[in-house]
Amino acid sequence: MPPSFDRLFDHHRLVVLDGATGTLLQQFGMPLSHSPESWVLENPVAVYTAAEAYVNAGSDIILTCTFGGTVARLQESLLGDRAFEINQTAAKIAREATHGRALVAGSIGPLGRLQLTLGGMRYTEAVDQFAAQAQALVMGGVDLFEIESFSDLQEIQAAVEGVRQVSKLPIFATMSFDSQGKTLTGITPYAAAKMLAQLDVTAIGANCGRGPWDMAGIMREMVEAVPGMLLVAKPNAGLPEMVDGKPSYPVDPAKFAQFARDWIRAGARIVGGCCGSTPKHIEAIRAEISGKRPVSSKQ
Ligand SMILES: [Zn+2]
């Protein structure tokens, strides 16, 4: 029987997400200058292979290759007019790659124009952008949404509102705390958790950032802010160094999985990896936690 969202979260289970898509596609030969979304059309076999590798590694939920799938973001690679097709196709590819053994989360990232609030875009326009992407992802058959890597509270609120205009599916909403423990716009994990928990979302948390060593502290702040909230921990494998013209990430799978134990102890129930993490990292996390319940002192 294919997994369902509710059953996945039964029995206080730990839930394993996937690892990076963009950096994995780079390992498969995608040029650094390419957007991963462009490969949904140009090299769907690679996108499928990456997704399937995560399912085989033990992911309960895999993400679509649509992090930069808003029209605003796709316009940067001159694909704005193919946004619907890219999102719908990416969802279908991910769905096929699960072979019925994992759920598919529609990945939604920022509009790509912020350093400051929405980069001058009107709030309603931002909501429309996210709603259009979410609609295409729903048409492609996603089970839930992962809204991730946001720095700005107003923008992530616009993303949740956009999804809610077209879908009642569960939403995970996570921000990136990569600037001295805060987001680029200066938001602390505590403040982010307080605000995100008020939105119509199932889980909140943190993704990407500076590395897996920061994540336990972020989780502790979020638990303090909103006790009992489902928390996502999905850090990158450290910051990349360029080796022979290719980004190389410092945290190997075994070390990454050891860190995962710390995030879980700190309160995370949904764990995975961001930039630089691979199917091997997810396999190591799965092995580390297999059969174990969360080690939270409250249970
Ligand atoms: Zn990342």
Side-chain angles (χ1 to χ4, degrees), residues 78-159:
L78 306 178
L79 289 167
D81 56 345
R82 302 188 72 179
F84 187 91
E85 180 188 2
I86 287 173
N87 284 284
Q88 188 184 32
T89 304
K92 286 182 178 169
I93 290 172
R95 161 73 56 217
E96 270 181 47
T98 67
H99 304 290
R101 306 204 315 266
L103 298 178
V104 175
S107 169
I108 295 180
L111 296 165
R113 55 179 67 199
L114 67 115
Q115 289 304 322
L116 290 171
T117 303
L118 294 179
M121 188 184 275
R122 278 183 300 128
Y123 182 79
T124 51
E125 193 189 335
V127 171
D128 290 348
Q129 289 266 339
F130 293 119
Q133 184 184 8
Q135 181 64 44
L137 289 167
V138 167
M139 303 288 276
V142 298
D143 301 295
L144 67 149
F145 291 91
E146 163 94 16
I147 294 174
E148 64 176 10
S149 296
F150 282 71
S151 300
D152 179 62
L153 284 174
Q154 204 183 1
E155 189 180 14
I156 197 166
Q157 189 176 351

Side-chain angles (χ1 to χ4, degrees), residues 56-282:
N56 290 337
S59 296
D60 296 304
I61 299 174
I62 61 168
L63 269 60
T64 55
C65 182
T66 57
F67 173 77
T70 53
V71 169
R73 189 77 181 258
L74 287 171
Q75 273 166 351
E76 293 168 17
S77 40
L78 306 178
L79 289 167
D81 56 345
R82 302 188 72 179
F84 187 91
E85 180 188 2
I86 287 173
N87 284 284
Q88 188 184 32
T89 304
K92 286 182 178 169
I93 290 172
R95 161 73 56 217
E96 270 181 47
T98 67
H99 304 290
R101 306 204 315 266
L103 298 178
V104 175
S107 169
I108 295 180
L111 296 165
R113 55 179 67 199
L114 67 115
Q115 289 304 322
L116 290 171
T117 303
L118 294 179
M121 188 184 275
R122 278 183 300 128
Y123 182 79
T124 51
E125 193 189 335
V127 171
D128 290 348
Q129 289 266 339
F130 293 119
Q133 184 184 8
Q135 181 64 44
L137 289 167
V138 167
M139 303 288 276
V142 298
D143 301 295
L144 67 149
F145 291 91
E146 163 94 16
I147 294 174
E148 64 176 10
S149 296
F150 282 71
S151 300
D152 179 62
L153 284 174
Q154 204 183 1
E155 189 180 14
I156 197 166
Q157 189 176 351
V160 172
E161 197 174 320
V163 172
R164 279 292 168 255
Q165 283 191 354
V166 300
S167 170
K168 291 192 166 78
L169 290 171
I171 296 174
F172 298 169
T174 65
M175 301 185 86
S176 292
F177 302 92
D178 43 15
S179 188
Q180 294 173 342
K182 300 176 184 169
T183 71
L184 276 178
T185 61
I187 315 294
T188 63
Y190 187 92
K194 282 274 185 210
M195 183 276 186
L196 293 174
Q198 288 172 31
L199 303 176
D200 183 7
V201 298
T202 300
I204 65 168
N207 76 289
C208 217
R210 291 182 307 185
W213 38 81
D214 281 353
M215 198 48 89
I218 292 170
M219 290 295 111
R220 277 193 288 272
E221 265 194 63
M222 289 192 159
V223 168
E224 197 190 327
V226 286
M229 188 81 198
L230 262 181
L231 295 182
V232 179
K234 190 175 177 286
N236 58 15
L239 294 177
E241 274 177 38
M242 293 306 275
V243 178
D244 299 331
K246 286 181 182 165
S248 166
Y249 288 80
V251 185
D252 68 25
K255 197 103 192 89
F256 200 74
Q258 281 173 15
F259 279 117
R261 214 181 335 170
D262 298 338
W263 322 328
I264 292 162
R265 213 173 269 142
R269 263 195 62 203
I270 305 164
V271 294
C274 203
C275 303
S277 64
T278 66
K280 292 274 178 231
H281 290 74
I282 296 306

Side-chain angles (χ1 to χ4, degrees), residues 18-40:
D18 61 6
T21 297
T23 51
L24 185 60
L25 292 179
Q26 285 163 10
Q27 285 182 19
F28 290 174
M30 185 181 79
L32 289 178
S33 58
H34 271 49
S35 72
E37 293 74 27
S38 67
W39 262 31
V40 171

